[in-house]
């Protein structure tokens, strides 16, 4: 940390190349996430802290950024999904009768980075800080050979866009849409935005669609476009609020809030994947007959499933549909029961060593013996040759 501080103060610090990680998505192109080194992520986070402010560190933050952080109807990158859903539920209680929600297409690769950058320069009057931010957001890929031409075309350009995965990406996205957030309020319309996903709630279809046209006009001025209800993308929808709303992975039907169908399917798919991978590893270990080749066993598979379910459940803990939770619990229990029956059949008749290895319990006899070796410091001090004891 001291070395980083010295390099930053002297202007000698340079960011390293990033790795692009592809996250598969069903029926859609892979999501491309840029992963920086740990040292670079520390600097990204420090920049964000300076811009946001931190009373505990005596940092007041930048007023322009504070304005974004204080605006209550933009939650992505500031607060969690639950806050966005709470805002929607509050508008429904207030009588919103019609909704229209949509995603902004390819938001992060195409947001007006230079415009945001120049606004920050005016707000901070700190050229050195802005140059450091420029360097932080500059695209420099270590594994470019692993990427296709299509992949490269979907990454940020020289003058627009920010890399997904950076601690600064959400802030730049919110700064880019700061005026949008304010302009879309009023005239009987409430606009709630979570990064590139926004929903318009109002008293009638006419007002909601008029607001949507205004949103499209404003966004086009930034070089951005949106998906539209009925375009087949599944990224936009509209209708009477009484018929239910799908937003931020949730289904909102009156006072009932449930995890959406896609979110529930994703949980079960993750459980299936963990158990199927465990089956493959256990079968391989039993064929190999060696504890050193055992991989993760049934016990570790159960831990993986437990972590998956716990993480998903905590993410949707604000949902109040108990019947959905109980059904998911039954579905998961059924999968676990079938996995355990499969394991029991596999280990039936095996000796103790094979059973324990299949279950993922380390056998001490399988651990490689490590001979005692004299300390390198002693050998260097005495000039003695290395020998095992």
């Amino acid at each position: 940390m001291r070395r980083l501080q010295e390099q930053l103060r002297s202007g000698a610090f340079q960011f390293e190349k990033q790795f692009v990680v592809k996250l598969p998505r069903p029926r859609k192109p892979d999501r491309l996430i840029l992963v920086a080194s740990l040292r670079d992520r520390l600097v990204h986070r420090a920049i964000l802290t300076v811009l946001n402010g931190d009373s505990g560190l005596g940092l007041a933050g930048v007023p322009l950024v504070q304005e974004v952080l204080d605006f209550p109807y933009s939650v992505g990158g500031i607060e969690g999904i639950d806050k966005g859903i709470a805002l929607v539920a509050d508008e429904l209680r207030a009588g919103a009768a019609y909704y229209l929600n949509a995603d902004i297409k390819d938001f992060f690769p195409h947001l007006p980075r230079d415009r945001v950058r120049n606004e920050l320069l005016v707000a901070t009057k700190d050229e050195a800080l802005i140059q450091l931010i420029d360097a932080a957001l500059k695209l420099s890929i270590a594994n470019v050979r692993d990427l296709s031409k299509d992949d490269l075309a979907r990454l940020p350009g020289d003058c627009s866009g920010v890399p997904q995965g950076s601690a600064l990406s959400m802030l730049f996205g919110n700064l880019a849409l700061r005026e949008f957030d304010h302009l879309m309020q009023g005239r009987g319309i409430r606009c709630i935005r979570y990064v590139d996903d926004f929903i318009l709630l109002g008293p009638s279809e006419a007002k909601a669609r008029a607001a949507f046209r205004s949103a499209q006009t404003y966004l086009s001025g930034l070089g951005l476009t949106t998906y539209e209800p009925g375009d087949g993308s599944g990224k936009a929808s509209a209708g009477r609020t009484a018929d239910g709303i799908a937003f931020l992975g949730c289904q909102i039907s009156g006072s009932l809030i449930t995890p959406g169908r896609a979110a529930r399917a994703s949980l079960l798919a993750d459980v299936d994947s963990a158990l199927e991978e465990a089956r493959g590893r256990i079968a391989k270990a039993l064929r190999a007959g060696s504890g050193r080749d055992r991989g993760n066993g049934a016990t570790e598979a159960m831990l993986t499933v437990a972590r998956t379910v716990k993480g998903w459940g905590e993410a949707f803990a604000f949902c109040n549909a108990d019947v959905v939770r109980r059904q998911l619990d039954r579905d998961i229990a059924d999968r676990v029961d079938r996995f355990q029956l499969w394991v029991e059949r596999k280990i039936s008749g095996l000796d103790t060593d094979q059973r324990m290895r299949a279950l993922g319990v380390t056998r001490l006899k399988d651990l490689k013996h490590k001979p005692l070796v004299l300390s390198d410091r002693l050998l260097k001090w005495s000039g003695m040759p290395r020998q095992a004891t």
Side-chain angles (χ1 to χ4, degrees):
M1 293 297 291
R2 285 195 296 271
R3 184 166 60 252
L4 282 176
Q5 289 174 330
E6 291 167 1
Q7 291 174 348
L8 288 164
R9 288 195 186 102
S10 67
F13 179 83
Q14 291 188 345
F15 289 100
E16 299 172 341
K17 291 187 175 182
Q18 309 126 326
F19 284 85
V20 175
V21 176
K22 298 182 183 182
L23 300 182
R25 297 186 294 175
R27 300 181 298 280
K28 290 186 287 187
D30 294 341
R31 188 184 301 279
L32 303 178
I33 303 295
L34 271 78
V35 180
S37 66
L38 176 59
R39 64 184 282 276
D40 285 6
R41 293 202 299 274
L42 288 171
V43 176
H44 292 169
R45 181 57 60 179
I47 294 171
L48 189 62
T49 300
V50 169
L51 295 174
N52 287 350
D54 188 316
S55 58
L57 297 175
L59 297 173
V62 178
L64 176 70
V65 176
Q66 289 295 327
E67 178 187 334
V68 169
L69 296 177
D70 290 342
F71 187 73
Y73 296 107
S74 169
V75 292
I78 302 170
E79 294 180 298
I81 286 175
D82 59 320
K83 299 300 183 185
I85 298 298
L87 288 170
V88 174
D90 189 56
E91 292 301 316
L92 295 182
R93 286 191 292 270
Y98 198 87
Y99 80 95
L100 193 155
N101 77 295
D103 277 12
I104 301 172
K105 292 182 180 179
D106 300 323
F107 177 61
F108 285 107
H110 296 112
L111 69 82
R113 184 181 71 220
D114 277 1
R115 172 176 168 170
V116 174
R117 182 252 192 218
N118 293 334
E119 289 178 350
L120 278 174
L121 178 58
V122 172
T124 62
K125 299 179 176 60
D126 190 331
E127 183 69 42
L129 174 61
I130 300 306
Q131 288 179 354
L132 183 64
I133 293 173
D134 288 340
L137 295 176
K138 184 178 180 181
L139 202 62
S140 181
I141 304 171
N143 60 330
V144 67
R145 292 184 179 180
D146 298 335
L147 305 178
S148 67
K149 289 183 179 180
D150 289 340
D151 293 333
L152 294 172
R154 292 192 293 116
L155 291 171
D158 292 334
C159 300
S160 64
V162 293
Q164 279 190 267
S166 167
L168 298 169
S169 298
M170 291 288 197
L171 174 62
F172 264 63
N174 286 329
L175 285 169
L177 296 178
R178 176 175 58 94
E179 291 181 0
F180 172 86
D181 289 334
H182 289 273
L183 288 172
M184 295 310 300
Q185 312 300 330
R187 302 178 302 280
I189 291 294
R190 176 66 69 208
C191 177
I192 298 163
R193 183 176 62 82
Y194 191 94
V195 194
D196 56 347
D197 194 352
F198 65 93
I199 184 168
L200 304 167
L201 294 148
S204 67
E205 178 178 1
K207 280 187 172 292
R209 291 195 178 274
F212 183 58
R213 289 192 294 272
S214 297
Q216 289 179 305
T217 299
Y218 180 85
L219 292 170
S220 68
L222 300 180
L224 300 169
T225 58
T226 71
Y227 293 95
E228 297 193 36
D231 63 7
S233 67
K235 293 280 193 174
S237 61
R240 297 188 310 150
T241 59
D243 296 331
I245 300 174
F247 186 56
L248 300 181
C250 296
Q251 185 70 30
I252 308 169
S253 301
S255 61
L256 190 66
I257 302 171
T258 67
R261 183 178 300 174
R264 301 196 302 269
S266 176
L267 169 62
L268 295 178
D270 287 345
V271 171
D272 286 337
S273 177
L275 296 178
E276 188 58 33
E277 288 180 11
R279 287 186 179 94
R281 289 193 298 264
I282 291 169
K284 181 180 178 181
L286 291 176
R287 288 194 301 270
S290 168
R292 294 170 192 161
D293 298 326
R294 69 178 180 84
N296 294 329
T299 304
E300 287 163 285
M302 290 296 96
L303 289 174
T304 299
V305 170
R307 286 192 293 265
T308 298
V309 174
K310 185 174 186 290
W312 188 95
E314 289 178 344
F316 289 97
F318 58 87
C319 293
N320 57 10
D322 290 338
V323 64
V324 173
R325 279 198 290 266
R326 287 195 292 268
Q327 182 59 55
L328 285 171
D329 280 339
R330 287 192 291 269
D331 292 340
I332 293 166
D334 179 63
R335 285 161 166 78
V336 170
D337 287 344
R338 283 188 275 117
F339 174 76
Q340 290 181 321
L341 287 172
W342 179 88
V343 171
E344 289 174 7
R345 288 195 297 269
K346 278 288 183 182
I347 67 176
S348 177
L350 299 180
D351 62 32
T352 301
D353 286 341
Q354 291 175 310
R355 288 200 311 277
M356 292 301 102
R357 289 164 184 159
L359 292 173
V361 178
T362 298
R363 304 299 283 164
L364 298 178
K365 65 172 69 175
D366 292 332
L367 298 178
K368 186 178 180 180
H369 173 66
K370 294 175 63 176
L372 288 173
V373 177
L374 291 172
S375 164
D376 287 339
R377 294 183 298 112
L378 175 61
L379 301 179
K380 181 179 179 181
W381 180 79
S382 65
M384 296 169 56
R386 177 181 290 277
Q387 62 182 14
T389 301

